[in-house]
Amino acid sequence: MKEGLLYTSSVEKGKIRVLITDPVDEYMVTTLSELGLRVDYRPEISRGEILRIIGNYDVIVVRSRTKVDVEIMKAASKLRVIARAGIGVDNIDFEEATKRGIKIVYAPGASTASAAELTIGLMIAAARRLHEAIQSAKRGEFVKITGVELSDKVLGVIGFGRIGTHVARVALAMGMRVIAYDITDVRERAAALGVEVVDLDRLLRSSDVISLHVTVSKKSKPLFGNEEFEKVKPGLILVNTSRAAAIDGKALLKALNSGRVGFYATDVMWNEPPKEDWELEILNHERVIVSPHIGAQTREAQYRIAIQTTQNLLQAIREVYEK
Ligand code: NAD
């Protein structure tokens, strides 16, 4: 028995079948198997195949690639628990799962440091045009591309939760002035760090760099549309490691083309990989850099996610099967 894990007799009986449809740390696969669950690890499984076999499973474990929507849930007659190995459950239809009495578990906080560090990396890459500079050096041209300094610039953090707060702390250490906006009252936490909480209008108008750290749901309206882009400082550096849905993509393209947004650095796209014309235009824009949703993709974060998701999953199984 692994230290700290919950004992459940249903698990030992080997009745419960688990389908893992995205890559997870091997800790999770081995621990669940050792505890007696029947685990099928299919990290590259297609949606068609999931639909074909999901009816045999009690539990599904996903990351962000697998969309657990109405169609999947309809086919999943035995499904009792959905585990999201990570944070950001916008790929799961919460309402439908609740209606069907399916529990959802995830791993809040396990990837905070990794996502925050990637955010700072993207911010510096945007300010110094690192991608172009590195390519120029690799080609042997050694063009000295002039960037901008982040020290003394105003960083506006939208969404002052776990990752937003961590980003603010690092940015302050780099000499940035940080302001924040959140829909909940975060004044106490912000004041403790020396961060001023402002309204969205002021944040948009006074930030040199804006970093997005909001959660989104299926129903959320994009936070950034034409109206918001009209308020930002011309040449704004916009960083987004939260979710693409927080931004109206067509409005962003317009703002990039007009120069209102000077640079867009992101880890998240509306479709991953992108497929719409406007989205491909953003991907290939000369003032855009995109990383392939790797915010949580570090050894440390993946291990923490696996431990936390496994614990939460076992707790949910106990609640469902041992009532
Ligand atoms: P969190 O829940 O700790 O913080 C989110 C904050 O955003 C909360 O304080 C909330 O009140 C605020 N918020 C929500 N909607 C808002 C709105 N419309 N306007 C202003 N504030 C709003 O979440 P977190 O752990 O900090 O994660 C933040 C985001 O980062 C999530 O969307 C998550 O999915 C994403 N994320 C991405 C990666 C990645 O790989 N790129 C990794 C981890 C997390």
Side-chain angles (χ1 to χ4, degrees):
M1 177 81 176
K2 296 245 169 169
E3 204 185 321
L5 290 178
L6 290 153
Y7 172 83
T8 110
S9 56
S10 329
V11 170
E12 287 218 324
K13 283 177 203 147
K15 284 184 188 153
I16 297 166
R17 292 194 67 182
V18 180
L19 178 63
I20 304 180
T21 63
D22 290 319
V24 296
D25 189 280
E26 66 172 77
Y27 169 93
M28 188 169 194
V29 185
T30 51
T31 306
L32 294 177
S33 305
E34 278 171 19
L35 285 171
L37 280 94
R38 291 172 61 198
V39 180
D40 288 323
Y41 184 44
R42 306 274 307 271
E44 277 160 30
I45 189 170
S46 69
R47 183 175 169 85
E49 183 65 0
I50 297 176
L51 282 167
R52 201 179 65 76
I53 64 171
I54 191 67
N56 301 320
Y57 292 90
D58 309 274
V59 177
I60 185 169
V61 179
V62 302
R63 285 179 61 188
S64 54
R65 183 188 74 110
T66 306
K67 310 277 171 259
V68 190
D69 51 17
V70 180
E71 194 185 12
I72 296 245
M73 283 189 238
K74 272 191 182 152
S77 49
K78 288 169 67 185
L79 196 67
R80 304 299 302 276
V81 186
I82 300 168
R84 159 75 165 102
I87 179 177
V89 282
D90 46 310
N91 55 322
I92 298 164
D93 190 329
F94 238 89
E95 233 169 74
E96 186 66 23
T98 312
K99 221 161 61 188
R100 292 171 181 268
I102 300 172
K103 278 189 181 292
I104 299 175
V105 297
Y106 60 107
S111 55
T112 299
S114 291
E117 287 173 13
L118 182 75
T119 307
I120 297 288
L122 287 171
M123 210 180 284
I124 295 173
R128 303 303 292 270
R129 303 265 180 141
L130 267 189
H131 62 301
E132 283 174 55
I134 291 167
Q135 285 309 319
S136 143
K138 289 231 179 214
R139 285 194 300 268
E141 292 164 1
F142 278 69
V143 176
K144 287 194 185 296
I145 292 165
T146 304
V148 291
E149 218 169 51
L150 291 173
S151 181
D152 262 342
K153 298 288 187 308
V154 175
L155 167 66
V157 174
I158 303 185
F160 202 68
R162 284 175 289 255
I163 299 171
T165 304
H166 195 114
V167 165
R169 206 176 287 127
V170 180
L172 286 164
M174 297 197 315
M176 297 188 84
R177 289 180 285 144
V178 183
I179 56 178
Y181 164 73
D182 199 290
I183 43 168
T184 61
D185 187 358
V186 294
R187 279 174 298 183
E188 203 176 314
R189 190 166 65 245
L193 284 179
V195 170
E196 188 188 358
V197 176
V198 298
D199 62 23
L200 183 59
D201 192 75
R202 179 149 157 233
L203 185 141
L204 295 172
R205 292 183 193 282
S206 45
S207 301
D208 302 296
V209 181
I210 292 179
S211 195
L212 276 172
H213 300 288
V214 297
T215 38
V216 303
S217 74
K218 222 175 59 170
K219 286 188 182 155
S220 333
K221 248 183 54 199
L223 189 84
F224 256 93
N226 286 321
E227 206 184 310
E228 286 71 28
F229 283 121
E230 269 161 32
K231 294 180 183 171
V232 303
K233 276 193 183 179
L236 171 80
I237 293 177
L238 180 61
V239 183
N240 185 10
T241 58
S242 61
R243 285 292 178 268
I247 297 177
D248 173 342
K250 289 181 186 160
L252 169 64
L253 189 56
K254 203 168 125 197
L256 273 163
N257 287 336
S258 73
R260 197 86 201 176
V261 170
F263 208 97
Y264 182 56
T266 189
D267 187 43
V268 285
M269 291 298 276
W270 295 263
N271 295 291
E272 294 175 356
K275 56 181 183 198
E276 305 287 344
D277 286 349
W278 55 268
E279 206 179 3
L280 290 165
E281 227 180 296
I282 291 174
L283 175 71
N284 295 315
H285 199 286
E286 59 174 359
R287 284 180 282 111
V288 171
I289 49 173
V290 179
S291 54
H293 206 146
I294 52 166
Q297 199 64 33
T298 60
R299 281 198 300 271
E300 294 82 355
Q302 286 305 310
Y303 186 57
R304 277 195 300 269
I305 285 170
I307 292 176
Q308 205 177 328
T309 310
T310 304
Q311 285 176 336
N312 294 344
L313 176 53
L314 291 171
Q315 170 77 43
I317 287 175
R318 192 164 70 171
E319 285 165 16
V320 169
Y321 294 96
E322 298 193 348
K323 269 196 286 203

